[in-house]
Amino acid sequence: MQKLKKSSKDRVLRGVCGGVAEFFGISSTIVRLIFFFIGSISFIVYLFLAVTLENDNKLY
């Protein structure tokens, strides 16, 4: 079973959007656009995920 983690490969700030994209098997650009258009609530969700999610510890 796959676990939601921050991405070490596909990251702009903390790897949250890349990790969510890898978990759902979609493009990280789509996840970033969703976070952008949802607005202020997505900022709170992003911060929560950035603090609570583990790193995936994959090497490049």
Side-chain angles (χ1 to χ4, degrees):
M1 178 176 217
Q2 188 177 0
K3 190 174 179 183
L4 181 60
K5 296 183 178 185
K6 291 187 276 187
S7 176
S8 62
K9 299 183 300 184
D10 188 7
R11 61 187 308 153
V12 174
L13 295 175
R14 303 286 299 169
V16 173
C17 291
V20 171
E22 289 175 8
F23 182 78
F24 288 109
I26 58 176
S27 170
S28 60
T29 303
I30 293 171
V31 176
R32 288 182 181 100
L33 288 172
I34 290 170
F35 269 96
F36 178 76
F37 285 115
I38 289 177
S40 61
I41 190 70
S42 67
F43 180 71
I44 295 167
V45 171
Y46 187 91
L47 287 177
F48 175 77
L49 291 174
V51 171
T52 59
L53 289 181
E54 301 174 6
N55 291 321
D56 67 1
N57 298 325
K58 291 180 185 173
L59 298 175
Y60 289 96

